[in-house]
Amino acid sequence: MSEITYLKPKNAKFFRNNNGFLGLKFNDVEYSRVNLIKAFPFSYENKFISVRDKEQNEIGIIEDISLFPEEVQKLFTEEIERRYYLPKITKIYSIKDEFGYSNWEVETNYGRRKFTIRRDPNNFVNIKANMILIIDVDGNRYEIPDYTKLDKKSFKKIELLL
Amino acid sequence: MLELIQGLSDSILNNLKLYQVNQNDIIIAAKGDLDLSGYCSTSYVLGTKEALITIIGDGDKVTYLENKDIEKLSCEQLVSTGLLIATVEGVDYILCQFTNSCLREFSLLCRLFEKIKQGQVLEEKDYKMHELPLTCPKCGSFYEDPVRKICPKCFDKRKIFFRVLSYVPKYKFHITIMLILMLISSALNVFIPYLTGNIFYDEVLKQGGSLFGKIAFIVISIALVKLLATIISILYGRINSTFSSKVIYDLKTEIFNALQKLSLSFFNSKQTGTLMNNVNGDAMNLQYFFHDGVPYFIVNIIQFIGIFTVMMIINWKLTLLALIPIPLVTYALRKLFPVLGVLYSRMFRQNSSLNSIISDSINGSRVVKAFGREEAEIKRFSVVNRKNYEVNVNVNRINQTVFPLIYFFMGTSSLIIWSVGSWLVVNDQLTFGSLISFTGYIGMLLGPLEFMTRITDWWSNCMNSASRIFEILDTVPEVEEHKDAIKLPNIKGDITFKNVNFEYEPNKPILKDINFEIKAGEMIGVVGHTGAGKSTLANLICRLYDVKEGQILIDGVDIREISLQSLHTQIGFVLQETYLFMGSIAENIAYAKPNATREEIIEAAKIANAHDFIMKLPEGYDTIIGVRGQSLSGGEKQRIAIARAVLLNPRILILDEATASLDTETEKQIQEALERLVKGRTTISIAHRLSTLRNADRLFVLENGQIKESGTHEELMKLKGNYFNLVKKQNEALRLRGV
Ligand SMILES: Nc1ncnc2c1ncn2[C@@H]1O[C@H](COP(=O)(O)OP(=O)(O)OP(=O)(O)O)[C@@H](O)[C@H]1O
Ligand SMILES: [Mg+2]
């Protein structure tokens, strides 16, 4: 497919700017800040990542981040983590239902959180196999990467929602 | 924001002292909830006239920037978080990070910062987030969703119940009769086992009984009592049917009326969309509530008390013994129902996904056939069908196992009566007739048990349905007529936009600071990329939505003060998506002016160049078109929509891609006709095909929600900007196609 410009370790040099953003030098053009956007956020997490400049014009696509050297991969993961900020729920302390909403208190890999979700199938989505995406009333997103791996008590609390 | 500034903690203030900043100097502030690597934390961004200070955590990281160095302060929205970014010497720096929950606050911060930089003095009103009321007027607590102005706290089930009942008093007469019938029928139900048991065996069959040997008499009595019970239940059923259907009829009428008054934003919002889907189902649910639920409940309660009393009178010891299994069975049922409930809802969801696949592939049948994907569709269906089957099997198996077991345990009551009762009979402590009555009664007592244990679930289910319905009834339309709205029967057609800002969803601005003046009679063309906000602009003029900030004036009057009636009868709008209703073509053309004469309809159709194709149809103007006018082509539908707007003879005409599906020749004809029509009225025409707009007095180029260029065709061509490029590209494209 000639329509797609692929960024390869050979022609694309990524680096971290002193202001914390990801920069890129590609075909002799230097971009002080580029954004990484996943084409398939759920089905191919580390593949087909669109690299865009400040004005959101596509510079090219990274076919697979594992093609890049390890330290660059680390830059990618950091950048992606920031854009697709998605705390992983590791433990559920409580779920309280109230008037069509439920109040959750959970432990995540980013610390303890409290949030409210509207009781609606669209806010509690089984994205794939055992993974669940939760969207709260403010539009914040949380993930249960694998509900079968939750501890028993936590699992019991969401069992009826599945 | 002001409260935040007042309530700053000492440790924060100490941090500020290092930079010689006092609490009183702070004029803008926002509080974030993440640190720079995404962990939960608090961060403060505080601004004075001179500087902006960011404090992350308890002063783990403090940034001090002078306002004059910051070229721009902006919020960048990522997937579910936001970044506050300061641009210094052309380079972006991340000041802090926060979740979506804080986004509004930070966008306000950025707006106010801009004002400070321009040297404006902030006033009290600047600090208000330009939004709909966020709290419930009754209890003051926050709405969890500002689009749905429903307060969760005030949503008390009991209140809903009484509100449901409030639909009833109109039918006092029905209810009184129904209650009397219920009482009689309960009494008869309690009496029948007594008649067939105690009286039949002890008085008629037993020697020395008061009615000994009068078999004909007792049989006829039994028959009569049963006949009476049947007649009463028929009467009751008939009255109940009228009554409950009538209540629901009233309710449905009210719902539909409410739906018509709601604003578009209600229908668009995702959450309320799901509310709509089920309106009819919810109403059905309430119908069951009135028709079956409440009466069943009342009858059972009366009957239970009656039976219990009679049993206690006959033999209280045996009664208490027989009731022993009841708590156990109740307990088991109560444990069981939540589990079954979950299974049922899973079954329900499977079912609806099956239904949606069916309707999906039927609605898309053209696409399916065009790409030859029938096999794939069959496969897609069979996967879900298979799952559906499995869930069904599962649920039914559990049902078929658990309930017989429970019935068996209920049966232990009868066992107790048979064993203990027989022993009592043999020892002459109980008559044979009483034993027979008892076995009859115990069955009647246990029958409704299943329903009674489920009553709370059932009740809350009905109340949820009711609450959803009331939610619709209670929603205050966002676009509401002003209390003393002005009637403008003769609009001249001046349109002014003053600093108009608009967003459909919070924090996703679609139109930004739009300013323009259109004089009456002008023809304005609006061009711009798809998604630029052109249709949105048109929607605002018709007041389908209200602006979030700024004003739209027609003839110098804010459109929020003009009565909706005068607005909608004098603005003709040809929408981008044509929608035709079920009905004849004539009815569709006359949709906005039902009293139009036949001549007017034909004239409008002629202007819209629709007359000739309509005349080719065997039924002419009386041709019935189905939902969405399926039997017509895209261009034909569009011409009917144009005729609809033309017929209204509006002072302001808005054409949103009105001629996009027409060939150039037809478009030209319509244009010429419209030109005659358009004379003297204000016209706003949105089009991608620039040739459509060559008669426009002025053109607006809309890009990313902002007006980038405006002027006549010549002026814009000279400017060599966006418009110039658009024209160049279109000409090239046309040349390529050899047109
Ligand atoms: N009801 C809605 N709710 C939320 N967002 C909407 C809604 N309607 C439109 N939008 C968004 O607003 C933006 C502007 O839409 P609009 O329909 O005004 O564009 P347009 O300029 O008319 O485009 P086109 O030329 O394709 O008709 C788009 O990004 C669209 O996704
Ligand atoms: Mg449009």
Side-chain angles (χ1 to χ4, degrees), chain B residues 268 504-505 510 529-536 545 576 688:
Chain B
N268 281 336
Y504 287 103
E505 285 159 28
I510 303 290
H529 288 293
T530 150
K534 304 181 294 293
S535 302
T536 308
Y545 301 89
Q576 192 166 16
H688 282 295

Side-chain angles (χ1 to χ4, degrees), chain A residues 113-125:
Chain A
R113 287 292 168 88
K114 274 185 187 175
F115 57 88
T116 304
I117 70 171
R118 193 175 300 107
R119 219 181 301 134
D120 175 339
N122 295 327
N123 294 330
F124 190 89
V125 200

Side-chain angles (χ1 to χ4, degrees), chain A residues 91-96 103-106 157:
Chain A
K91 190 179 164 89
I92 299 169
Y93 295 112
S94 73
I95 301 178
K96 286 199 193 87
N103 298 311
W104 292 52
E105 192 166 352
V106 299
K157 296 200 174 77

Side-chain angles (χ1 to χ4, degrees), chain A residues 19 21 82, chain B residues 34-36 43-46 52-56 61-65 70 72-74 82-88 92-98 106 109-110 113:
Chain A
N19 55 6
F21 288 111
R82 178 154 68 207
Chain B
L34 298 176
D35 67 10
L36 286 176
S43 56
Y44 289 89
V45 180
L46 307 166
L52 194 73
I53 303 123
T54 312
I55 303 170
I56 293 176
K61 184 165 188 280
V62 182
T63 330
Y64 180 92
L65 286 171
I70 304 178
K72 200 175 152 212
L73 189 68
S74 55
L83 301 175
L84 183 69
I85 290 180
T87 314
V88 178
D92 290 349
Y93 292 92
I94 303 178
L95 290 183
C96 78
Q97 195 174 355
F98 45 85
F106 277 93
L109 181 92
C110 293
F113 181 81

Side-chain angles (χ1 to χ4, degrees), chain B residues 69 99 117 227 265 329 368 407 507 539 602 683 702:
Chain B
D69 294 333
T99 68
K117 257 197 85 110
L227 183 66
S265 50
V329 172
V368 174
Y407 291 135
N507 301 310
N539 288 339
I602 293 178
T683 311
L702 205 61

